Amino acid sequence: MKIHQAQPSTHRVWYVYELLYNGDKEKADKHRKDFEKLAKDYPYKTGLENDIELMECALKMYEVSVA
């Protein structure tokens, strides 16, 4: 994973891991910001749309588990 840190999908994986496995929203938000930073210049927008959808699903699952 460290080798691929320049890939937005890597930060999507870390976001979901921190959010759902560790329950750490602060760390997850850091990875979300890193994802968004990399996404600005990423040439494959379709892949980004899928990553964003997966992160939104993970966020909904987290919110349900916390409530």
Side-chain angles (χ1 to χ4, degrees), residues 15-67:
Y15 172 82
V16 172
Y17 174 79
E18 290 296 345
L19 196 61
L20 297 181
Y21 185 76
N22 290 331
D24 191 335
K25 184 130 175 27
E26 287 182 28
K27 283 185 181 178
D29 287 342
K30 179 199 171 295
H31 289 292
R32 179 81 184 231
K33 288 177 186 174
D34 292 340
F35 172 88
E36 291 169 354
K37 217 182 295 183
L38 291 170
K40 289 179 185 176
D41 298 323
Y42 196 68
Y44 307 108
K45 299 300 180 190
T46 305
L48 292 176
E49 292 170 3
N50 294 332
D51 287 339
I52 291 168
E53 186 177 334
L54 290 169
M55 289 190 293
E56 291 301 318
C57 288
L59 181 59
K60 287 178 185 175
M61 291 173 67
Y62 171 78
E63 289 171 346
V64 166
S65 70
V66 173

Side-chain angles (χ1 to χ4, degrees), residues 1-12:
M1 295 291 282
K2 290 187 178 195
I3 293 171
H4 299 286
Q5 284 187 347
Q7 301 294 320
S9 60
T10 301
H11 292 281
R12 183 239 323 144

